Amino acid sequence: TDVIIALASVDVNPDSFMSGEMMTPFTFVGMQLDAGNVASVGEMAKIVTAVYAGGKDVTDFAGLNLIDELSAMQGENGLFGLGAFDHCLSMIALQNVAAELPEGTVDALLAAQGEDGGWGFMDGMGSDTNTTGLCLQALSLTDVEDEAVAAFDYLAAIQNEDGGWPY
């Protein structure tokens, strides 16, 4: 899915990449969905983003409404997946396709924010820069501000002397 997204981001049609069997990346993704090989929330979120980025219909891909499939993976606690990383991939995917975020989605993310202002990859893990950056991307299209400021403060506090960040 990352390759599909990358190709689409530079206006290269992913369908132009065919295997010797005349299979495209979208054929492969459709086969994986048909076979039930997409088990994780993060995988489904990336598929939604890839299908959309590639110009395909996310409401009718491989006989599935991918928005409905992803939305059905939200837990009763409002969280998609096992932690902030999968949750934010899902938020971003839904935002990319202009789908309304299901009730409790933003609240679940805010509840997972650490006391230091960052987010960890999974529940119970310490904050890390990659997950925090992804969470900030997911929050960028919401009206949440105070929590975002806390996340920026977290990132500023752990920035390396060379200008980069640790994991």
Side-chain angles (χ1 to χ4, degrees):
T1 56
D2 289 331
V3 172
I4 294 172
I5 296 165
L7 291 170
S9 74
V10 293
D11 293 325
V12 174
N13 183 350
D15 282 331
S16 67
F17 285 78
M18 286 195 202
S19 70
E21 302 291 321
M22 302 303 289
M23 306 276 274
T24 71
F26 289 115
T27 307
F28 174 78
V29 170
M31 290 172 50
Q32 295 304 304
L33 287 163
D34 286 342
N37 293 335
V38 179
S40 81
V41 171
E43 290 173 316
M44 183 59 76
K46 286 186 137 191
I47 288 171
V48 169
T49 297
V51 168
Y52 179 75
K56 303 294 183 185
D57 184 354
V58 294
T59 64
D60 186 17
F61 181 82
L64 299 170
N65 181 326
L66 299 178
I67 296 170
D68 289 348
E69 295 292 319
L70 179 57
S71 295
M73 296 175 130
Q74 185 180 27
E76 289 182 15
N77 62 354
L79 194 66
F80 285 93
L82 300 175
F85 197 85
D86 282 348
H87 187 77
C88 290
L89 287 175
S90 300
M91 284 181 67
I92 292 167
L94 293 170
Q95 291 167 332
N96 284 339
V97 300
E100 187 173 326
L101 294 177
E103 186 174 333
T105 302
V106 175
D107 290 340
L109 179 57
L110 299 179
Q113 189 172 22
E115 289 183 20
D116 59 6
W119 283 270
F121 184 79
M122 293 178 63
D123 190 34
M125 295 179 78
S127 296
D128 67 77
T129 57
N130 292 348
T131 304
T132 299
L134 190 64
C135 290
L136 284 167
Q137 292 174 53
L139 288 173
S140 69
L141 296 178
T142 69
D143 60 358
V144 173
E145 292 182 20
D146 292 342
E147 291 81 356
V149 169
F152 286 120
D153 289 346
Y154 160 75
L155 292 172
I158 65 166
Q159 186 173 17
N160 294 333
E161 289 296 319
D162 64 7
W165 281 271
Y167 172 74

